[in-house]
Amino acid sequence: MKQILVTGGAGYIGSHTAVELINAGYEVVIVDNLSNSSIDSLDGIEKITGIRPAFEQFDLVDKDKLENFFTKYPNIAAIIHFAASKAVGESVEIPLMYYKNNLVSLINLLECQLKFGISNIVFSSSCTVYGQPDQLPVTENTPRKDAESPYGNTKRVNEDILKDTIAANPAIKGIALRYFNPVGAHPSALIGELPLGVPANLVPFITQTAAGLRSELKVFGNDYDTIDGSAVRDYINVVDLAKAHVVAVERLLENKNKSGYEIFNLGTGNGVSVLEAVQAFEKASGVKLNYKIVGRRAGDIEKIWADTTFANEELGWKAETGLEETMLSAWLWEKRVRGME
Ligand code: UD1
């Protein structure tokens, strides 16, 4: 059984990917410092799959600990690197923490890949690298733009670190996956997104408002050049997204990649406005959401959605879950977490 290291595997996308990897017959080893995740997600993974992944708690910035890890686990066949700091606002306040956490952890992993002979890495990137694109939808060849935040810049620079390292070391192969907006939860409601404090992202804010933790959702802006004036994103179901990681790992393990470094957009291909997302939630949950329209949020872009042709044709992967079903999964998870079921 092939062993896959999932960094950040206790987190939101990492835990869903651990489940899909186990379902596909891989052995998962999770490294997580639990800075923005909970050990409880391992219980969820175990309940869903019947298997509890191996778990090591440490920070990837600590090179000695990482080297000790690879000595302890000499059979890792591939790495999926989720672990990163990801709050846009916080990255503006404490940029050095973001650069250190996100850049040094990838550099340490790549150095260990060379030292311990691990060929394959899948990296979590983001559509944030496109900024506000000049043309929609965005393909993988759409030019990247200057990042709007230190967080966004870490994704851009990490893509370059990966590309340059692979160019210089043909022993390493990598795939960068540019996520659009991952939302929803596992249909079992046993794992999901659990933001610390007040959520910055739309769907956790919606579900927390519906659950009574927040008095109202603020819709940031209704004067954008979009269908109803609210901003447009490409919301991708987290289980669909997790499955793309299994395909990407298989592609590397089976040498199906066309070049050493590849990039794929992971989205649905559909642009959805904030107000449409609210409607989809209301329809799926049967709960009327209290919301009000306020001014734009600083740093937000107007609209973005993915051209998924390359991922569909080359990976053979496609987002399958509809937005209402995804919203329902987010709602079932929120209710379970709040003891409402
Ligand atoms: C944000 C980041 C992005 C990052 C991603 C990771 C910004 C500008 N972008 O994406 O770089 O990769 O999170 O999670 O922060 N909205 C509301 N009310 C709310 C919350 C959100 O109206 O309370 C709107 C936003 O204005 C936006 C949409 O909902 O139009 C989605 O917002 P969000 O979930 O925060 O994602 P992004 O901003 O797209």
Side-chain angles (χ1 to χ4, degrees):
M1 204 188 269
K2 292 244 164 65
Q3 217 175 39
I4 314 294
L5 165 59
V6 180
T7 78
Y12 174 44
I13 308 171
S15 59
H16 289 80
T17 300
V19 165
E20 297 308 319
L21 285 167
I22 294 168
N23 286 343
Y26 292 98
E27 185 180 340
V28 170
V29 181
I30 290 176
V31 170
D32 201 303
N33 67 2
L34 301 181
S35 63
N36 188 30
S37 58
S38 164
I39 190 77
D40 295 347
S41 56
L42 266 73
D43 296 338
I45 295 168
E46 185 177 2
K47 278 190 191 130
I48 295 167
T49 64
I51 293 171
R52 191 172 187 85
F55 173 69
E56 302 285 344
Q57 183 179 354
F58 65 91
D59 199 313
L60 299 170
V61 171
D62 189 330
K63 184 80 181 292
D64 289 341
K65 287 196 177 141
L66 191 57
E67 292 200 346
N68 289 340
F69 169 85
F70 283 114
T71 306
K72 182 174 171 187
Y73 295 88
N75 298 318
I76 301 283
I79 300 167
I80 308 183
H81 180 41
F82 293 103
S85 302
K86 62 157 198 177
V88 175
E90 187 183 53
S91 81
V92 176
E93 306 289 322
I94 25 179
L96 284 175
M97 186 184 108
Y98 273 68
Y99 284 114
K100 187 160 131 191
N101 283 354
N102 293 3
L103 270 51
V104 176
S105 54
L106 178 66
I107 291 168
N108 283 347
L109 279 171
L110 290 167
E111 284 183 346
C112 283
Q113 284 190 256
L114 291 172
K115 181 166 174 177
F116 292 88
I118 300 162
S119 300
N120 307 306
I121 181 162
V122 176
F123 171 65
S124 299
S125 191
S126 167
C127 72
T128 192
V129 299
Y130 297 116
Q132 177 59 65
D134 298 328
Q135 278 191 332
L136 286 167
V138 284
T139 74
E140 289 76 0
N141 296 320
T142 298
R144 296 181 308 175
K145 290 202 169 163
D146 284 349
E148 297 274 352
S149 69
Y151 158 77
N153 206 29
T154 68
K155 292 296 176 193
R156 182 189 168 104
V157 175
N158 269 346
E159 284 191 353
D160 292 343
I161 290 172
L162 191 56
K163 176 169 66 87
D164 294 343
T165 304
I166 289 167
N169 301 280
I172 300 187
K173 298 174 294 173
I175 294 179
L177 299 175
R178 290 178 177 159
Y179 311 150
F180 282 68
N181 286 56
V183 294
H186 194 269
S188 65
L190 290 165
I191 51 173
E193 186 173 13
L194 200 53
L196 294 175
V198 182
N201 295 119
L202 178 64
V203 173
F205 208 103
I206 287 177
T207 55
Q208 288 197 9
T209 304
L213 274 81
R214 315 277 157 210
S215 59
E216 64 182 9
L217 169 75
K218 293 182 178 66
V219 174
F220 298 135
N222 69 343
D223 57 352
Y224 287 113
D225 179 19
T226 61
I227 179 173
D228 54 26
S230 64
V232 165
R233 298 287 184 276
D234 185 336
Y235 296 96
I236 165 90
N237 178 281
V238 68
V239 176
D240 288 345
L241 187 70
K243 288 177 178 164
H245 292 75
V246 179
V247 179
V249 159
E250 261 159 19
R251 183 176 176 87
L252 292 173
L253 291 174
E254 292 168 13
N255 284 311
K256 288 194 286 199
N257 52 305
K258 298 269 162 66
S259 61
Y261 174 63
E262 295 180 315
I263 298 166
F264 294 96
N265 284 343
L266 297 182
T268 66
N270 300 319
V272 171
S273 75
V274 175
L275 293 172
E276 285 174 330
V278 168
Q279 279 160 19
F281 173 81
E282 289 183 329
K283 209 165 163 205
S285 67
V287 178
K288 185 98 190 67
L289 198 74
N290 191 26
Y291 70 87
K292 99 168 167 210
I293 289 161
V294 300
R296 296 180 177 192
R297 179 171 71 176
D300 267 348
I301 60 160
E302 180 169 85
K303 51 189 165 190
I304 188 165
W305 63 93
D307 183 323
T308 62
T309 310
F310 189 55
N312 296 162
E313 290 179 359
E314 198 55 46
L315 283 182
W317 166 90
K318 204 173 186 335
E320 285 166 352
T321 316
L323 185 58
E324 279 178 33
E325 189 178 340
T326 300
M327 287 293 190
L328 180 62
S329 71
W331 178 227
L332 294 177
W333 161 250
E334 184 75 54
K335 286 205 287 186
R336 202 190 128 256
V337 168
R338 307 299 162 200
M340 294 166 70
E341 286 289 79

